[in-house]
Amino acid sequence: MRSKGIPEEDLFSFFETKKLQDKNHLYILSSMCTLPHPVAVKAHALFMETNLGDPGLFPGTASLERMLISRIGTLFHNPDACGYATTGGTESNIQALRIARATAGIPSPNVVIPESAHFSFKKACDMIGVEMRTVPLTRDYRVDCDRYMDSIDSNTCCMVGIAGSTEYGMVDPIRDLAAIAHREGIFFHVDAAFGGMVLPFLKDAPEFDFSLPGVMSIAVDPHKMGMSTIPAGCLLLRNENDLCSLSVDTPYLTVKQEFTLSGTRPGGSVAGALAVLEYLGYEGMEAIVQGCMKNTRRLTHGMESYGIRPVVIPDVNVATFETPETPVPSRWQVSYTRNNHLRIVCMPHVHAGVIEAFLDDIGEQYVEKTY
Ligand code: PLP
């Protein structure tokens, strides 16, 4: 490092040049994160120095974490759900699998996941040393329940279902999977990292939560559609005993045991996540989520008018299209699925004006191509 520090002004002008190298959110159509809501930023700043890894030092912040879990548990039809704030979907999924393995007590366990599962499950299985079995999807990009049944055996410690898949925005037949898990006595984890902050605000949304008896744990990320600051994920569990199966002794802290994966944990983003839910309430969240779905539909119709066909009609605000013949203009940051389908996530920052500007750009290319 430098032997002597530099003036603050120089430091921040350097940082500003670096920030300008980042992509502008106005053109980011590929991310499942978004600009944090202003109340999340304010709350985060207020709790910036707090560490939930030693909750006895920050009892006020710790109570906000309990409130966050309780609010989301209620939204997921189980006000008594327990859980904690993670760094995001990856940590929640790792922890869910650790719990499933610990509680099953199977010597050579396997985990069954849909082919559409996020790559965090590969990390999780690798880390905890369990076999990962993937189940193919049906034509509508949901997991095939019959093939799922074929993958389960007496060594299966965990079944996974996705509520809002990363690439295609689809919800697996969670009710059917939950029924299988319940009948077979297998721990069932739902990865709703994305969909968990969308589906509760949609009419006639597919079921995915604790209202289904087989669902034992749910991952949900406030730093995605919850518009919190990063990092903010949550892992919720039906049974407290399951969470406690991960407890380790923590001799020098204000608490005697912890079940979290990280030690030091940010209170700022937890306050940020709660701030958004409290400030907007159900109706405010509903308005934002429905706006994102409306934009998804508008994008789909606009693309169709240029002959660019959607791959599926998504359950949440992730739109995918057959790859256009001409490339998307480079100012737009889009992404492509493993099947090379164009993928656009209609997050809150991708508002109606952005969609129209994007469609105009695509339209110009289309006109150029036609004439
Ligand atoms: N699960 C799903 C369904 C996701 O879409 C993602 C990320 O996009 C994750 C898990 C991982 O979340 P994170 O990047 O916050 O760890």
Side-chain angles (χ1 to χ4, degrees), residues 144-192:
D144 185 327
C145 257
D146 294 334
R147 313 263 309 253
Y148 210 114
M149 268 307 284
D150 296 342
S151 301
I152 296 165
D153 61 21
S154 56
N155 286 330
T156 302
C157 72
C158 188
M159 291 172 55
V160 172
I162 316 296
S165 61
T166 314
E167 288 181 298
Y168 292 92
M170 303 308 288
V171 178
D172 286 327
I174 302 291
R175 168 176 274 279
D176 297 344
L177 295 178
I180 297 170
H182 198 50
R183 191 181 65 227
E184 305 290 327
I186 300 171
F187 188 95
F188 182 39
H189 172 64
V190 176
D191 181 0

Side-chain angles (χ1 to χ4, degrees), residues 264-279:
T264 301
R265 296 190 301 122
S269 45
V270 168
L274 182 64
V276 177
L277 298 186
E278 294 297 283
Y279 179 75

Side-chain angles (χ1 to χ4, degrees), residues 6-86:
I6 58 169
E8 187 176 328
E9 210 175 291
D10 295 354
L11 177 66
F12 281 92
S13 85
F14 166 69
F15 281 169
E16 269 159 30
T17 61
K18 289 292 151 193
K19 186 113 202 236
L20 283 173
Q21 291 171 8
D22 290 349
K23 304 274 181 204
N24 183 333
H25 263 85
L26 267 182
Y27 299 103
I28 299 180
L29 309 182
S30 57
S31 179
M32 292 190 137
C33 290
T34 191
L35 288 166
H37 192 286
V39 299
V41 177
K42 196 168 169 186
H44 192 126
L46 188 62
F47 289 88
M48 186 73 82
E49 74 291 359
T50 62
N51 170 18
L52 287 169
D54 205 352
L57 301 180
F58 305 101
T61 317
S63 74
L64 296 184
E65 182 179 28
R66 287 194 296 277
M67 250 176 104
L68 177 65
I69 296 299
S70 156
R71 290 283 190 273
I72 298 178
T74 305
L75 201 58
F76 291 174
H77 299 103
N78 184 0
D80 298 327
C82 63
Y84 79 97
T86 65

Side-chain angles (χ1 to χ4, degrees), residues 32-33 87-91 93 116-121 162-167 191-195 219 221 223-224 343:
M32 292 190 137
C33 290
T87 50
T90 300
E91 180 179 337
N93 291 337
S116 54
H118 185 259
F119 49 78
S120 48
F121 286 100
I162 316 296
S165 61
T166 314
E167 288 181 298
D191 181 0
F194 189 78
D221 282 357
H223 69 203
K224 294 188 168 75
R343 167 182 175 271

